[in-house]
Amino acid sequence: MTDPTSSQPSRLGRRTFLRAAMLAAAVVPLAACVGEEDPLAKQAREGNNKNYIAGDGSVQEYDPKSRTEPVVISATAYDGSTIDSAKFAGQVTVLNFWYAACAPCRIEAPHMVELSDEFKDKVGFIGINVRDEKDAAEAFERTFGVKYPSVQDTQGAIQLAMTKYVPLQAVPTTLVLDRQGRVSARILGAAEKTTLKALINTALTESL
């Protein structure tokens, strides 16, 4: 006589296989963005908040009437170029505060690169590195193909200056500056590509 439960292992095996396949399909796109075997990015996805100040991805938009005065920055980037906020006037600018061992920074880096390419000649992208010396920062930039300049701010001068405009509160933090150089939006934590793109487009469509 056939045991009525004899087919259960086979059914369970198929269900387990399908579940595993669906999970793998969900994870692969993110892994592809940050590179295989990136333990820091994996750590960020697991949400255990090590080695960085966690942000929750929250977005704050600022009405033009409530925006502070234009952001003032004057610094030299790792590549030797001069970063001067006086040159921001007339264009939208994205400031991204990051460092190499920051797990969510590694997750958002490919999105930053893609958007900087997409908005080339329309939007300026500038990185503000809060922790790394030149070698570590440039290694990160090579890994993720970052072409826009980053400024070293290990002494915190730029971060301190930013408190008069908006609080940073987390790393990474991404700020979108309008054509007058004022903060129009802030993202705390890893920036989602679609979210940042929408904030950039909003700033681009505003009148001066």
Side-chain angles (χ1 to χ4, degrees):
M1 183 175 180
T2 303
D3 184 348
T5 64
S6 62
S7 63
Q8 290 181 359
S10 176
R11 290 199 298 272
L12 179 61
R14 285 196 294 273
R15 287 197 298 271
T16 302
F17 174 78
L18 288 172
R19 257 191 230 107
M22 292 174 67
L23 179 60
V27 170
V28 164
L30 181 55
C33 287
V34 299
E36 289 185 355
E37 306 301 326
D38 187 329
L40 291 170
K42 179 176 182 291
Q43 167 189 297
R45 293 195 299 274
E46 291 171 348
N48 50 18
N49 295 344
K50 296 177 182 176
N51 294 332
Y52 63 94
I53 303 169
D56 58 6
S58 62
V59 177
Q60 175 69 54
E61 294 187 82
Y62 301 92
D63 182 88
K65 294 181 181 179
S66 67
R67 294 172 192 171
T68 62
E69 60 193 80
V71 170
V72 175
I73 294 177
S74 181
T76 301
Y78 289 112
D79 63 7
S81 62
T82 299
I83 304 300
D84 187 347
S85 54
K87 299 177 182 178
F88 295 174
Q91 74 165 17
V92 171
T93 304
V94 174
L95 301 182
N96 178 240
F97 292 77
W98 67 282
Y99 64 93
C102 158
C105 299
R106 302 173 79 86
I107 288 177
E108 71 176 9
H111 304 156
M112 293 290 173
V113 171
E114 290 166 7
L115 289 173
S116 67
D117 288 340
E118 183 173 346
F119 288 102
K120 186 177 181 181
D121 300 327
K122 294 182 179 179
V123 177
F125 279 72
I126 298 170
I128 311 293
N129 188 294
V130 303
R131 184 173 297 185
D132 300 319
E133 297 300 324
K134 182 177 180 180
D135 288 349
E138 290 184 336
F140 178 99
E141 291 175 337
R142 287 193 299 271
T143 296
F144 293 99
V146 178
K147 301 301 183 184
Y148 55 82
S150 279
V151 171
Q152 182 175 319
D153 190 42
T154 52
Q155 300 301 311
I158 295 176
Q159 298 165 75
L160 179 61
M162 291 305 301
T163 60
K164 68 184 291 187
Y165 309 110
V166 293
L168 300 179
Q169 297 181 335
V171 180
T173 287
T174 301
L175 304 178
V176 178
L177 309 185
D178 64 18
R179 286 193 175 93
Q180 296 181 46
R182 304 173 302 174
V183 178
S184 64
R186 178 192 68 180
I187 303 175
L188 296 178
E192 293 286 343
K193 181 180 177 181
T194 54
T195 299
L196 180 55
K197 182 175 180 178
L199 296 173
I200 291 171
N201 279 323
T202 296
L204 283 171
T205 56
E206 290 177 349
S207 59
L208 282 171

